Amino acid sequence: MWRLIIALLAVAVFLPGCVYLRLLKLQQQLEAFADYVSLDRINGMGLNFRRPVLLLQDVIWLMKGKAAIQARCGRYTIFKYEFPKQYADAAATEADSLRVAVVMIFQDDKLVKIRFPEEFAKAIHPELIECSLRSMGRGKVNQDERTVSADVDAEDEAQPIVMPTQPEVEQILGAPYALTKNADENTLYYQYAVRLESSSNQAAPPVVDVWFTFHAGTQSLKKARFTFHKLTAAINFK
């Protein structure tokens, strides 16, 4: 999922050493998105990094392990991280539930491309991805609370921004782990595990928590928030 990139930026703020420096450089590149990153809209969506800075070992460290699905060919390494959906009822199933996965392609052990599920392109417009990533590039950091937050003002964008709606998100991601409603907004909460290779020393797989908040009236996306590694990243859409 494209929000994984934002999660990595949240992690970057609180890391020591060379990993931090490389993720800080990635954050700077996202702020100047057009100069360093391109959107690939063929067969879904992807991100191409023109001047890659993130290393294979950085991703392994951040994700708490290697992907369960891997391939290597010459100078290229491919990691496919799968995110099995979790349910409040352990016995629950969804026949048509989207299998969320992110494919990362490395050249000479540098991250050069990220591919997202084709279904994401049906609800998440490329312009929204770009402006969201640019906003995280200049996001506000709270060291004490271990958070990164950013605002996206659709009216300030050169291209019209189409916000996904609650029905569109539910159609793609399926039933949420939990649903919260009040007079002004509705919040969908999703939980995903991270599937790692069997040799991982993790007692339990890492978990990504995601919240999507929508305006109760228009049902358009209002906020997105997620946690990973006990860190939080959030985007407010105006």
Side-chain angles (χ1 to χ4, degrees):
M1 61 183 62
W2 67 270
R3 290 178 177 83
L4 178 63
I5 302 301
I6 303 175
L8 294 180
L9 293 179
V11 174
V13 174
F14 310 101
L15 293 179
C18 296
V19 180
Y20 168 81
L21 294 177
R22 285 191 289 272
L23 281 166
L24 180 61
K25 181 64 176 179
L26 175 61
Q27 184 182 29
Q28 294 169 345
Q29 289 186 354
L30 291 180
E31 185 175 6
F33 192 91
D35 296 330
Y36 297 99
V37 187
S38 64
L39 279 173
D40 182 352
R41 308 183 190 186
I42 299 175
N43 297 323
M45 284 192 295
L47 295 174
N48 300 316
F49 299 97
R50 297 190 177 102
R51 299 181 186 177
V53 294
L54 207 59
L55 303 181
L56 176 65
Q57 290 302 318
D58 297 338
V59 171
I60 294 172
W61 191 91
L62 290 166
M63 299 299 293
K64 297 295 185 181
K66 296 180 180 180
I69 301 174
Q70 307 172 34
R72 192 169 187 96
C73 181
R75 299 166 59 193
Y76 292 90
T77 301
I78 300 175
F79 274 14
K80 183 178 181 180
Y81 282 102
E82 295 184 326
F83 300 85
K85 186 178 177 181
Q86 307 299 291
Y87 298 89
D89 179 358
T93 59
E94 288 181 282
D96 299 325
S97 177
L98 172 66
R99 295 175 61 89
V100 178
V102 174
V103 176
M104 298 184 177
I105 302 175
F106 302 84
Q107 180 180 351
D108 298 327
D109 289 341
K110 288 187 176 182
L111 181 63
V112 295
K113 183 188 289 285
I114 300 177
R115 296 292 305 174
F116 307 105
E118 293 185 22
E119 291 82 355
F120 281 13
K122 299 176 182 178
I124 304 173
H125 291 253
E127 292 79 9
L128 177 60
I129 294 178
E130 180 175 343
C131 70
S132 296
L133 292 174
R134 277 194 284 105
S135 71
M136 292 306 296
R138 54 179 183 271
K140 298 178 182 178
V141 177
N142 187 316
Q143 291 273 1
D144 295 331
E145 297 183 2
R146 299 170 69 83
T147 63
V148 178
S149 60
D151 294 326
V152 173
D153 192 339
E155 294 183 356
D156 290 341
E157 298 297 323
Q159 298 292 329
I161 304 298
V162 180
M163 304 302 295
T165 65
Q166 182 175 336
E168 289 175 331
V169 171
E170 290 186 273
Q171 182 178 4
I172 292 175
L173 298 183
Y177 192 98
L179 169 63
T180 304
K181 293 184 176 182
N182 60 39
D184 299 320
E185 59 188 33
N186 302 328
T187 299
L188 303 177
Y189 166 58
Y190 291 91
Q191 186 181 100
Y192 296 91
V194 183
R195 182 168 289 157
L196 303 176
E197 71 172 1
S198 57
S199 61
S200 171
N201 294 323
Q202 292 289 319
V207 171
V208 180
D209 299 292
V210 183
W211 292 262
F212 298 109
T213 299
F214 303 86
H215 295 279
T218 63
Q219 293 193 305
S220 63
L221 183 63
K222 180 180 180 181
K223 293 180 288 187
R225 178 169 65 93
F226 52 88
T227 61
F228 186 62
H229 289 197
K230 298 182 180 180
L231 304 173
T232 299
I235 302 179
N236 299 313
F237 299 97
K238 299 180 178 179

